Amino acid sequence: VLPIALVLYCTDQRWLGRGVWAAVSGLAATALVLTFSRGGWLAAVAGVLVLGVLWEPKLLVATAVLVALLPMVASDQVIQRASSIGSLEDSSNTFRLSIWAAVLAMIRAYWLTGIGLGTTAFNQVYPHFMLAGTPAIHSHNLYLQLALELGLPGLTAFLWLLLAVLRRSFQALPQLSRRDQGVLAALLAALTGFLLHGAVDN
């Protein structure tokens, strides 16, 4: 939502429209902070950076300023949560590593066909591979989950589709109006954020 709302805020010529998109951006940003999802925070920053590179470089400066000001305006809880990104002392990070190791073993066992879609299939197979008694209902990783459910052919199809979308999008960008370029860049930015978040969740 954030990249698209930012583009529509920047391109809307009406004060009322800009006010609506500013409110949408503010609500989305507030909701994002309140999730305490570190993957979501990284995804949002990455999305805005992609939007800055593809469409409006001023967003790169604005993002840098915002990140620099964050320690002065954010609560201690938010700062502590953000500072634990990548820390192996954080329980949810070590939890994920244990699940990923088990899921990789599952993929090796079912690399061609996968185990099938959904939590029912996962819950039937995962206990046989679970490490250190770490419970899970999915792999906490989009790419591992695709490979596990659909096999490596399914993951390959997903990546091929993704590359096709990116190739056609980059071909279309130069041919569009400024506003339409912004909307397409925002969709690519949102997709980038989603794919980055997918590395730590499903």
Side-chain angles (χ1 to χ4, degrees):
V1 171
L2 272 171
I4 296 167
L6 285 172
V7 166
L8 294 175
Y9 170 80
C10 292
T11 58
D12 202 318
Q13 301 301 314
R14 304 161 300 158
W15 281 105
L16 178 60
R18 288 173 71 92
V20 168
W21 293 118
V24 169
S25 299
L27 286 170
T30 301
L32 183 64
V33 171
L34 294 177
T35 64
F36 276 74
S37 168
R38 295 167 298 184
W41 296 346
L42 289 175
V45 171
V48 175
L49 291 177
V50 167
L51 185 59
V53 169
L54 294 180
W55 185 66
E56 181 51 75
K58 291 176 185 174
L59 288 172
L60 300 174
V61 178
T63 303
V65 170
L66 187 62
V67 170
L69 292 176
L70 198 60
M72 291 181 271
V73 296
S75 70
D76 290 341
Q77 285 179 306
V78 170
I79 297 299
Q80 288 173 355
R81 185 77 173 150
S83 64
S84 66
I85 292 173
S87 170
L88 292 181
E89 294 178 6
D90 182 82
S91 59
S92 64
N93 291 343
T94 54
F95 172 81
R96 279 176 169 80
L97 290 175
S98 179
I99 293 170
W100 292 343
V103 169
L104 285 169
M106 293 165 70
I107 292 170
R108 282 193 294 273
Y110 297 94
W111 68 271
L112 182 59
T113 61
I115 63 170
L117 300 175
T119 55
T120 301
F122 188 90
N123 289 335
Q124 288 176 349
V125 180
Y126 179 76
H128 301 290
F129 294 84
M130 182 169 55
L131 300 176
T134 307
I137 58 170
H138 56 72
S139 65
H140 285 275
N141 182 294
L142 170 67
Y143 311 99
L144 293 179
Q145 191 75 22
L146 286 169
L148 179 62
E149 291 185 345
L150 304 174
L152 293 182
L155 176 62
T156 302
F158 170 78
L159 295 175
W160 174 84
L161 178 63
L162 182 61
L163 287 173
V165 167
L166 293 175
R167 183 176 62 84
R168 294 194 61 173
S169 296
F170 283 117
Q171 287 173 344
L173 269 173
Q175 304 167 29
L176 300 174
S177 67
R178 166 87 175 149
R179 184 180 184 280
D180 289 346
Q181 278 182 340
V183 171
L184 180 54
L187 291 170
L188 290 171
L191 179 61
T192 300
F194 176 81
L195 293 170
L196 176 61
H197 196 188
V200 293
D201 211 342
N202 176 57

